Short mmCIF file of all heavy atoms in Angstrom, two decimals:
data_model
loop_
_atom_site.label_atom_id
_atom_site.label_comp_id
_atom_site.label_asym_id
_atom_site.label_seq_id
_atom_site.Cartn_x
_atom_site.Cartn_y
_atom_site.Cartn_z
N GLU P 121 146.76 228.86 6.55
CA GLU P 121 147.83 229.41 7.39
C GLU P 121 149.17 229.31 6.70
O GLU P 121 149.41 228.37 5.94
CB GLU P 121 147.94 228.64 8.71
CG GLU P 121 146.77 228.76 9.62
CD GLU P 121 146.98 227.99 10.93
OE1 GLU P 121 147.92 227.17 11.03
OE2 GLU P 121 146.20 228.23 11.85
N GLY P 122 150.02 230.27 6.99
CA GLY P 122 151.41 230.23 6.57
C GLY P 122 152.27 230.46 7.79
O GLY P 122 152.03 231.40 8.55
N ARG P 123 153.25 229.58 8.00
CA ARG P 123 154.08 229.65 9.21
C ARG P 123 155.56 229.76 8.85
O ARG P 123 156.02 229.10 7.94
CB ARG P 123 153.89 228.40 10.06
CG ARG P 123 152.49 228.21 10.57
CD ARG P 123 152.30 226.83 11.20
NE ARG P 123 150.97 226.70 11.75
CZ ARG P 123 150.65 226.96 13.02
NH1 ARG P 123 151.58 227.32 13.87
NH2 ARG P 123 149.41 226.83 13.43
N ALA P 124 156.27 230.58 9.62
CA ALA P 124 157.73 230.69 9.53
C ALA P 124 158.20 231.47 10.75
O ALA P 124 157.42 232.21 11.36
CB ALA P 124 158.16 231.39 8.25
N ASN P 125 159.46 231.29 11.10
CA ASN P 125 160.01 232.04 12.22
C ASN P 125 159.83 233.53 11.98
O ASN P 125 159.84 233.99 10.84
CB ASN P 125 161.49 231.73 12.42
CG ASN P 125 161.72 230.36 13.00
OD1 ASN P 125 160.78 229.70 13.45
ND2 ASN P 125 162.95 229.90 12.97
N GLU P 126 159.71 234.27 13.07
CA GLU P 126 159.57 235.72 12.99
C GLU P 126 160.74 236.31 12.21
O GLU P 126 160.55 237.11 11.31
CB GLU P 126 159.51 236.31 14.40
CG GLU P 126 159.28 237.79 14.46
CD GLU P 126 157.89 238.18 13.99
OE1 GLU P 126 156.93 237.48 14.27
OE2 GLU P 126 157.79 239.23 13.33
N GLY P 127 161.93 235.91 12.54
CA GLY P 127 163.13 236.39 11.83
C GLY P 127 163.70 237.65 12.45
O GLY P 127 163.04 238.36 13.22
N ASN P 128 164.95 237.90 12.13
CA ASN P 128 165.62 239.10 12.62
C ASN P 128 165.62 240.16 11.51
O ASN P 128 164.98 239.97 10.48
CB ASN P 128 167.05 238.77 13.09
CG ASN P 128 167.90 238.17 11.99
OD1 ASN P 128 167.75 238.51 10.82
ND2 ASN P 128 168.79 237.27 12.35
N MET P 129 166.37 241.22 11.71
CA MET P 129 166.35 242.31 10.74
C MET P 129 166.88 241.86 9.37
O MET P 129 166.55 242.46 8.35
CB MET P 129 167.13 243.51 11.24
CG MET P 129 168.60 243.26 11.49
SD MET P 129 169.41 244.64 12.31
CE MET P 129 169.94 245.59 10.92
N PHE P 130 167.64 240.78 9.32
CA PHE P 130 168.17 240.29 8.05
C PHE P 130 167.24 239.27 7.38
O PHE P 130 167.25 239.12 6.16
CB PHE P 130 169.55 239.65 8.25
CG PHE P 130 170.54 240.60 8.85
CD1 PHE P 130 170.96 240.45 10.16
CD2 PHE P 130 171.04 241.67 8.11
CE1 PHE P 130 171.87 241.34 10.71
CE2 PHE P 130 171.94 242.56 8.66
CZ PHE P 130 172.36 242.40 9.97
N THR P 131 166.45 238.55 8.17
CA THR P 131 165.63 237.46 7.62
C THR P 131 164.12 237.73 7.70
O THR P 131 163.34 236.94 7.19
CB THR P 131 165.92 236.14 8.36
OG1 THR P 131 165.60 236.30 9.75
CG2 THR P 131 167.37 235.73 8.20
N ARG P 132 163.74 238.83 8.33
CA ARG P 132 162.32 239.11 8.53
C ARG P 132 161.53 239.14 7.22
O ARG P 132 160.47 238.54 7.10
CB ARG P 132 162.14 240.42 9.29
CG ARG P 132 160.69 240.75 9.55
CD ARG P 132 160.52 241.80 10.60
NE ARG P 132 160.82 241.12 11.86
CZ ARG P 132 161.37 241.71 12.92
NH1 ARG P 132 161.62 242.97 12.89
NH2 ARG P 132 161.62 241.03 14.00
N THR P 133 162.06 239.82 6.21
CA THR P 133 161.35 239.94 4.94
C THR P 133 161.23 238.59 4.24
O THR P 133 160.15 238.21 3.77
CB THR P 133 162.04 240.96 4.02
OG1 THR P 133 162.01 242.24 4.67
CG2 THR P 133 161.32 241.08 2.68
N SER P 134 162.32 237.85 4.15
CA SER P 134 162.27 236.55 3.47
C SER P 134 161.38 235.57 4.24
O SER P 134 160.68 234.76 3.64
CB SER P 134 163.66 235.97 3.27
OG SER P 134 164.30 235.71 4.50
N ASN P 135 161.38 235.65 5.57
CA ASN P 135 160.49 234.78 6.36
C ASN P 135 159.03 235.15 6.14
O ASN P 135 158.17 234.28 6.09
CB ASN P 135 160.86 234.82 7.84
CG ASN P 135 162.13 234.06 8.14
OD1 ASN P 135 162.79 233.55 7.25
ND2 ASN P 135 162.49 233.98 9.40
N PHE P 136 158.75 236.45 6.02
CA PHE P 136 157.37 236.88 5.73
C PHE P 136 156.94 236.36 4.36
O PHE P 136 155.83 235.87 4.19
CB PHE P 136 157.23 238.40 5.81
CG PHE P 136 155.83 238.85 5.58
CD1 PHE P 136 154.88 238.71 6.58
CD2 PHE P 136 155.43 239.36 4.36
CE1 PHE P 136 153.56 239.09 6.37
CE2 PHE P 136 154.12 239.75 4.14
CZ PHE P 136 153.18 239.61 5.15
N GLU P 137 157.83 236.45 3.38
CA GLU P 137 157.51 235.95 2.05
C GLU P 137 157.26 234.44 2.08
O GLU P 137 156.40 233.93 1.37
CB GLU P 137 158.64 236.29 1.07
CG GLU P 137 158.68 237.78 0.75
CD GLU P 137 159.93 238.21 0.00
OE1 GLU P 137 160.81 237.35 -0.28
OE2 GLU P 137 160.03 239.41 -0.31
N ARG P 138 157.99 233.73 2.92
CA ARG P 138 157.76 232.29 3.10
C ARG P 138 156.36 232.03 3.68
O ARG P 138 155.68 231.11 3.28
CB ARG P 138 158.82 231.70 4.04
CG ARG P 138 159.57 230.57 3.38
CD ARG P 138 160.61 229.99 4.28
NE ARG P 138 161.77 230.85 4.15
CZ ARG P 138 162.66 231.09 5.07
NH1 ARG P 138 162.60 230.51 6.22
NH2 ARG P 138 163.66 231.89 4.86
N ARG P 139 155.96 232.87 4.65
CA ARG P 139 154.62 232.74 5.24
C ARG P 139 153.54 233.00 4.19
O ARG P 139 152.54 232.28 4.14
CB ARG P 139 154.45 233.70 6.42
CG ARG P 139 155.04 233.19 7.71
CD ARG P 139 154.62 234.03 8.90
NE ARG P 139 155.10 235.39 8.88
CZ ARG P 139 156.34 235.78 9.23
NH1 ARG P 139 157.22 234.89 9.62
NH2 ARG P 139 156.68 237.04 9.21
N ILE P 140 153.73 234.02 3.37
CA ILE P 140 152.76 234.34 2.32
C ILE P 140 152.62 233.16 1.36
O ILE P 140 151.51 232.75 1.02
CB ILE P 140 153.19 235.61 1.53
CG1 ILE P 140 153.02 236.86 2.37
CG2 ILE P 140 152.43 235.75 0.22
CD1 ILE P 140 151.64 237.46 2.37
#
Side-chain angles (χ1 to χ4, degrees):
E121 294 182 347
R123 297 170 177 267
N125 287 349
E126 184 68 38
N128 59 33
M129 62 188 271
F130 302 108
T131 61
R132 182 164 286 149
T133 299
S134 64
N135 286 4
F136 182 76
E137 289 169 359
R138 237 179 277 150
R139 279 191 295 280
I140 288 276

